[in-house]
Amino acid sequence: MGLCRLCRLLCKLGWLLNRRIHNFLEKTKNHQRKQIIDEVQGVSKEKEILRKRVNSLIKRRRLTEVKKLVKNEEIKPWGRDAQAKLGSRLLELLTETAYVQPPIDQSGDSPPDIRPAFRHKFKTISRDPKQKIKKRYGIIECDPLLLSGLDNPAGLDNPAKHMLIPYIPMLVPPKKWKGYDNGGYLFLPSYVMRTHGSRKQQDALKGVHVKNMQKVFEALDTLGSTKWRVNKKVFAVVEGIWASGGNIAGLVDRNDIPIPEKPPSEDSTEIQEWKWSVRKANKINRERHSQRCDTELKLSVARKMENEEGFYYPHNLDFRGRAYPMHPHLNHLGNDLCRGVLEFAEGRPLGRSGLHWLKIHLANLYSGGVGKLSHDGRLAFVDNHLDEIFDSAENPINGNRWWLTAEDPFQCLAACINLSEALKSSSPHSVLSYLPIHQDGSCNGLQHYAALGRDSLEAAAVNLVAGEKPADVYSEIAVRVHNIMKRDSNKDPATNPNALLAKLLIDQVDRKLVKQTVMTSVYGVTFVGAREQIERRLEEKGQITDDRVLFAAACYTAKVTLAALGELFQAARSIMGWLGDCAKVIASENQPVRWKTPLGLPVLQPYHKSERYFVRTSLQVLALQREGNSVQVRKQRTAFPPNFVHSLDGSHMMTTAVACRDAGLHFAGVHDSFWTHACDVEKMNQILREKFVELYSMPILENLLESFQTSYPSLVFPPLPERGNFDLQEVLRSPYFFN
């Protein structure tokens, strides 16, 4: 704890200064333009052609080319080498000038203990605790006094208050997007896409005409125009719990666990057990420290925004076209704490339908299986717990604390408060509601595959078809896994080694065991990934204590779960396979897979083999990496199916956002979860279904294949997979498609 490896830090420091200087030069453009004109207008007649050329370039704002013509000098951007060297010198200055002095307990007769706040050191670190290979890294280590202050806000007058968080929420609407680096924050560097340094992705994006990006820009502007505020009632409860030590409602414990003392015995077994217990305690304490710092950052932003009338989140995209708030700490994509303390800045009367959806929203947040009931079942659940809901709203800390039993406690508390206000009012339907009401997709990745494949069975499994209650694909897979294990358990262990594992596991199979694997299957989860997911769930159950048996059981369960998925979602598997095969054809020619989303956004998979090189700086020699010219064939192939589906769900969310804005609704989105006021849920539900049907009425796979054949005319691609005859219009009538 309290240390940071250097490479990325130094490059980031240099990049930030590079941006500051770039912004300064941008502000002097008008002065430079006038200077250039004065120089050119004084030239002789034989340079008249040059003058006309320069004036033409100036009118088109191509100032860099003007400077090259007039001053005959190349203007090159800083490279990563220069940024690293500059960052190194800046950090060196920090270590030479920043000091701390421990407080009061020093003797007045002794000299003050003033010491550097940061130190540059070399440390041998293992990147993976399970591996014995260790490497020597340069690090910056902060003084323990700073570290204790971060962990204990009382120690340094709450240092989170003094931390510079530049990309905080905005008090005015964000700047509308008009280009790659033109939009979002008014004065901070803002880019429409998070390319993580991929030059090829940046070039692909910059090469698109602004007119072809208008739909994307419009959607980002719509998401950024939603006005938020802090829910003061919920935030007061959060602050009270945090001040009392946390460890409630998902908040981390603010105290470390004690480190076990060394046993007096010299017995090697006891000593080894003690060492393991010390390692485990230190690991837990490191995790708690990290979580405490994260919580402090979230709360510090909430404190800054608490008394503001409202604020905004500028949005940009990842390389696949999914939208994210640019502020990283307190936003609606965050955890239950973040979502619980945020609400719309504008309230709207509940109305009859709003009261209905507020109750369903509360039931969904409580969950524990309640969210899988029909709408009527969820309404009945809320009506049967009104006393607990009223008590939670009136006395959240010292009452019965029913809200703490919810899966999302802070969001549940916010809903309890709003519902209590409405039901205790003489006119419940006129009570203002500021809460965002969520409508979530049902295993949304599989919903997109079902629409692509037009398979009726798969469509019904993920609620593209109307039913009396929501279909639960996770429970369906759990039943299939249980049936396979039941068959295996009846086999002879002498000839079938899985028989014993099946008998051991048959009573442990449930929805939770397979949920994560089912959810991530459409995003390319491997057998190893599935095994690790299931191993964690089995470990939580605690019925298998032997590590070797646990590993074998996880391997067997993962194999059975993936087999059950293959049985139920054959059409989805077929499309995944086709996408992967196309990507392999392209990547085998050392080309990255690229495509355009339905909104016209160019996507290029940034998976290239990196090249390592060394840069000598004032602190140390740095080993840097840069994007090479060879693609990672395997990564290009395995990542394409999930990335392509992510680009489709991003398109669905953004088209829904714009349509909701046009209909006068407030909208917020978290990938496959769409939010609006309670009174507007029914209208949003209609819009999001219409936009889904509109999206998949397009020949998406045909267009993709055609674009591949046009871009790579010499390559041969596999034929499109066969598809079913599912009628997309069924989605418009399905109440549990998003619910």
Side-chain angles (χ1 to χ4, degrees), residues 215-234:
K215 291 182 180 179
V216 175
F217 292 160
E218 188 179 9
L220 291 175
D221 293 339
T222 300
L223 295 170
S225 67
T226 298
K227 195 173 184 180
W228 300 84
R229 73 177 190 182
V230 171
N231 185 326
K232 293 185 178 181
K233 292 181 179 179
V234 174

mmCIF file of all heavy atoms in Angstrom, residues 215-234:
data_model
loop_
_atom_site.group_PDB
_atom_site.id
_atom_site.type_symbol
_atom_site.label_atom_id
_atom_site.label_comp_id
_atom_site.label_asym_id
_atom_site.label_seq_id
_atom_site.Cartn_x
_atom_site.Cartn_y
_atom_site.Cartn_z
ATOM 1 N N LYS A 215 -25.416 11.525 -35.485
ATOM 2 C CA LYS A 215 -26.297 10.725 -34.629
ATOM 3 C C LYS A 215 -25.607 10.355 -33.322
ATOM 4 O O LYS A 215 -26.229 10.364 -32.252
ATOM 5 C CB LYS A 215 -26.743 9.464 -35.369
ATOM 6 C CG LYS A 215 -27.692 9.718 -36.528
ATOM 7 C CD LYS A 215 -28.109 8.409 -37.173
ATOM 8 C CE LYS A 215 -29.074 8.657 -38.337
ATOM 9 N NZ LYS A 215 -29.469 7.379 -38.995
ATOM 10 N N VAL A 216 -24.324 10.033 -33.412
ATOM 11 C CA VAL A 216 -23.563 9.698 -32.207
ATOM 12 C C VAL A 216 -23.430 10.927 -31.318
ATOM 13 O O VAL A 216 -23.660 10.863 -30.101
ATOM 14 C CB VAL A 216 -22.168 9.149 -32.584
ATOM 15 C CG1 VAL A 216 -21.323 8.922 -31.334
ATOM 16 C CG2 VAL A 216 -22.300 7.859 -33.374
ATOM 17 N N PHE A 217 -23.059 12.066 -31.917
ATOM 18 C CA PHE A 217 -22.907 13.297 -31.141
ATOM 19 C C PHE A 217 -24.224 13.691 -30.478
ATOM 20 O O PHE A 217 -24.256 14.108 -29.317
ATOM 21 C CB PHE A 217 -22.427 14.437 -32.042
ATOM 22 C CG PHE A 217 -21.024 14.274 -32.561
ATOM 23 C CD1 PHE A 217 -20.590 14.978 -33.675
ATOM 24 C CD2 PHE A 217 -20.135 13.419 -31.940
ATOM 25 C CE1 PHE A 217 -19.295 14.840 -34.152
ATOM 26 C CE2 PHE A 217 -18.835 13.260 -32.411
ATOM 27 C CZ PHE A 217 -18.420 13.978 -33.521
ATOM 28 N N GLU A 218 -25.316 13.551 -31.213
ATOM 29 C CA GLU A 218 -26.630 13.922 -30.683
ATOM 30 C C GLU A 218 -26.993 13.059 -29.476
ATOM 31 O O GLU A 218 -27.525 13.555 -28.477
ATOM 32 C CB GLU A 218 -27.685 13.771 -31.784
ATOM 33 C CG GLU A 218 -29.057 14.311 -31.408
ATOM 34 C CD GLU A 218 -30.066 14.170 -32.534
ATOM 35 O OE1 GLU A 218 -29.750 13.506 -33.550
ATOM 36 O OE2 GLU A 218 -31.175 14.710 -32.395
ATOM 37 N N ALA A 219 -26.682 11.768 -29.550
ATOM 38 C CA ALA A 219 -26.983 10.870 -28.431
ATOM 39 C C ALA A 219 -26.143 11.222 -27.206
ATOM 40 O O ALA A 219 -26.655 11.258 -26.074
ATOM 41 C CB ALA A 219 -26.730 9.421 -28.845
ATOM 42 N N LEU A 220 -24.853 11.499 -27.397
ATOM 43 C CA LEU A 220 -23.992 11.871 -26.271
ATOM 44 C C LEU A 220 -24.444 13.192 -25.655
ATOM 45 O O LEU A 220 -24.424 13.355 -24.425
ATOM 46 C CB LEU A 220 -22.537 11.973 -26.733
ATOM 47 C CG LEU A 220 -21.857 10.655 -27.113
ATOM 48 C CD1 LEU A 220 -20.467 10.912 -27.675
ATOM 49 C CD2 LEU A 220 -21.771 9.718 -25.913
ATOM 50 N N ASP A 221 -24.854 14.136 -26.492
ATOM 51 C CA ASP A 221 -25.366 15.413 -25.977
ATOM 52 C C ASP A 221 -26.634 15.195 -25.158
ATOM 53 O O ASP A 221 -26.842 15.838 -24.120
ATOM 54 C CB ASP A 221 -25.658 16.375 -27.134
ATOM 55 C CG ASP A 221 -24.400 16.813 -27.866
ATOM 56 O OD1 ASP A 221 -23.312 16.717 -27.274
ATOM 57 O OD2 ASP A 221 -24.514 17.238 -29.034
ATOM 58 N N THR A 222 -27.479 14.279 -25.616
ATOM 59 C CA THR A 222 -28.722 13.982 -24.891
ATOM 60 C C THR A 222 -28.422 13.394 -23.518
ATOM 61 O O THR A 222 -29.001 13.808 -22.502
ATOM 62 C CB THR A 222 -29.588 13.002 -25.701
ATOM 63 O OG1 THR A 222 -29.916 13.589 -26.961
ATOM 64 C CG2 THR A 222 -30.863 12.654 -24.957
ATOM 65 N N LEU A 223 -27.508 12.434 -23.463
ATOM 66 C CA LEU A 223 -27.146 11.826 -22.178
ATOM 67 C C LEU A 223 -26.504 12.851 -21.250
ATOM 68 O O LEU A 223 -26.743 12.842 -20.036
ATOM 69 C CB LEU A 223 -26.191 10.652 -22.409
ATOM 70 C CG LEU A 223 -26.773 9.456 -23.170
ATOM 71 C CD1 LEU A 223 -25.670 8.477 -23.555
ATOM 72 C CD2 LEU A 223 -27.837 8.743 -22.336
ATOM 73 N N GLY A 224 -25.701 13.748 -21.817
ATOM 74 C CA GLY A 224 -25.039 14.760 -21.000
ATOM 75 C C GLY A 224 -25.960 15.868 -20.528
ATOM 76 O O GLY A 224 -25.625 16.599 -19.591
ATOM 77 N N SER A 225 -27.123 16.013 -21.165
ATOM 78 C CA SER A 225 -28.039 17.102 -20.794
ATOM 79 C C SER A 225 -28.954 16.743 -19.626
ATOM 80 O O SER A 225 -29.693 17.600 -19.134
ATOM 81 C CB SER A 225 -28.899 17.490 -22.003
ATOM 82 O OG SER A 225 -29.783 16.426 -22.356
ATOM 83 N N THR A 226 -28.924 15.484 -19.173
ATOM 84 C CA THR A 226 -29.745 15.081 -18.023
ATOM 85 C C THR A 226 -29.187 15.720 -16.754
ATOM 86 O O THR A 226 -28.004 15.586 -16.449
ATOM 87 C CB THR A 226 -29.761 13.553 -17.878
ATOM 88 O OG1 THR A 226 -30.340 12.979 -19.053
ATOM 89 C CG2 THR A 226 -30.567 13.126 -16.664
ATOM 90 N N LYS A 227 -30.049 16.402 -16.028
ATOM 91 C CA LYS A 227 -29.624 17.147 -14.840
ATOM 92 C C LYS A 227 -29.863 16.306 -13.586
ATOM 93 O O LYS A 227 -30.950 15.755 -13.397
ATOM 94 C CB LYS A 227 -30.398 18.465 -14.749
ATOM 95 C CG LYS A 227 -29.820 19.479 -13.775
ATOM 96 C CD LYS A 227 -30.572 20.804 -13.892
ATOM 97 C CE LYS A 227 -29.963 21.879 -13.011
ATOM 98 N NZ LYS A 227 -30.693 23.167 -13.137
ATOM 99 N N TRP A 228 -28.837 16.208 -12.736
ATOM 100 C CA TRP A 228 -28.880 15.390 -11.528
ATOM 101 C C TRP A 228 -28.742 16.265 -10.287
ATOM 102 O O TRP A 228 -28.353 17.428 -10.363
ATOM 103 C CB TRP A 228 -27.739 14.369 -11.541
ATOM 104 C CG TRP A 228 -27.765 13.418 -12.683
ATOM 105 C CD1 TRP A 228 -27.270 13.623 -13.943
ATOM 106 C CD2 TRP A 228 -28.326 12.106 -12.694
ATOM 107 N NE1 TRP A 228 -27.482 12.521 -14.725
ATOM 108 C CE2 TRP A 228 -28.119 11.570 -13.991
ATOM 109 C CE3 TRP A 228 -28.965 11.321 -11.736
ATOM 110 C CZ2 TRP A 228 -28.541 10.294 -14.341
ATOM 111 C CZ3 TRP A 228 -29.381 10.046 -12.086
ATOM 112 C CH2 TRP A 228 -29.175 9.542 -13.371
ATOM 113 N N ARG A 229 -29.033 15.672 -9.140
ATOM 114 C CA ARG A 229 -28.741 16.312 -7.859
ATOM 115 C C ARG A 229 -28.513 15.219 -6.812
ATOM 116 O O ARG A 229 -28.792 14.035 -7.061
ATOM 117 C CB ARG A 229 -29.882 17.233 -7.426
ATOM 118 C CG ARG A 229 -31.139 16.518 -6.954
ATOM 119 C CD ARG A 229 -32.190 17.496 -6.463
ATOM 120 N NE ARG A 229 -33.300 16.802 -5.800
ATOM 121 C CZ ARG A 229 -34.369 17.403 -5.307
ATOM 122 N NH1 ARG A 229 -34.492 18.724 -5.424
ATOM 123 N NH2 ARG A 229 -35.321 16.710 -4.702
ATOM 124 N N VAL A 230 -27.996 15.630 -5.647
ATOM 125 C CA VAL A 230 -27.767 14.687 -4.551
ATOM 126 C C VAL A 230 -29.063 14.502 -3.767
ATOM 127 O O VAL A 230 -29.732 15.483 -3.420
ATOM 128 C CB VAL A 230 -26.645 15.193 -3.622
ATOM 129 C CG1 VAL A 230 -26.550 14.334 -2.366
ATOM 130 C CG2 VAL A 230 -25.310 15.194 -4.362
ATOM 131 N N ASN A 231 -29.426 13.256 -3.505
ATOM 132 C CA ASN A 231 -30.571 12.933 -2.656
ATOM 133 C C ASN A 231 -30.136 13.141 -1.201
ATOM 134 O O ASN A 231 -29.459 12.298 -0.607
ATOM 135 C CB ASN A 231 -31.000 11.481 -2.896
ATOM 136 C CG ASN A 231 -32.258 11.101 -2.142
ATOM 137 O OD1 ASN A 231 -32.498 11.571 -1.031
ATOM 138 N ND2 ASN A 231 -33.059 10.230 -2.736
ATOM 139 N N LYS A 232 -30.504 14.278 -0.621
ATOM 140 C CA LYS A 232 -29.969 14.667 0.686
ATOM 141 C C LYS A 232 -30.399 13.724 1.805
ATOM 142 O O LYS A 232 -29.635 13.489 2.751
ATOM 143 C CB LYS A 232 -30.394 16.099 1.011
ATOM 144 C CG LYS A 232 -29.757 17.144 0.090
ATOM 145 C CD LYS A 232 -30.113 18.556 0.519
ATOM 146 C CE LYS A 232 -29.442 19.586 -0.381
ATOM 147 N NZ LYS A 232 -29.758 20.971 0.027
ATOM 148 N N LYS A 233 -31.601 13.180 1.729
ATOM 149 C CA LYS A 233 -32.069 12.286 2.797
ATOM 150 C C LYS A 233 -31.256 10.995 2.823
ATOM 151 O O LYS A 233 -30.844 10.526 3.888
ATOM 152 C CB LYS A 233 -33.561 11.990 2.613
ATOM 153 C CG LYS A 233 -34.456 13.202 2.847
ATOM 154 C CD LYS A 233 -35.929 12.849 2.680
ATOM 155 C CE LYS A 233 -36.810 14.075 2.936
ATOM 156 N NZ LYS A 233 -38.255 13.773 2.755
ATOM 157 N N VAL A 234 -31.022 10.424 1.656
ATOM 158 C CA VAL A 234 -30.222 9.200 1.602
ATOM 159 C C VAL A 234 -28.771 9.505 1.948
ATOM 160 O O VAL A 234 -28.118 8.746 2.677
ATOM 161 C CB VAL A 234 -30.328 8.542 0.209
ATOM 162 C CG1 VAL A 234 -29.382 7.350 0.102
ATOM 163 C CG2 VAL A 234 -31.760 8.098 -0.066
#
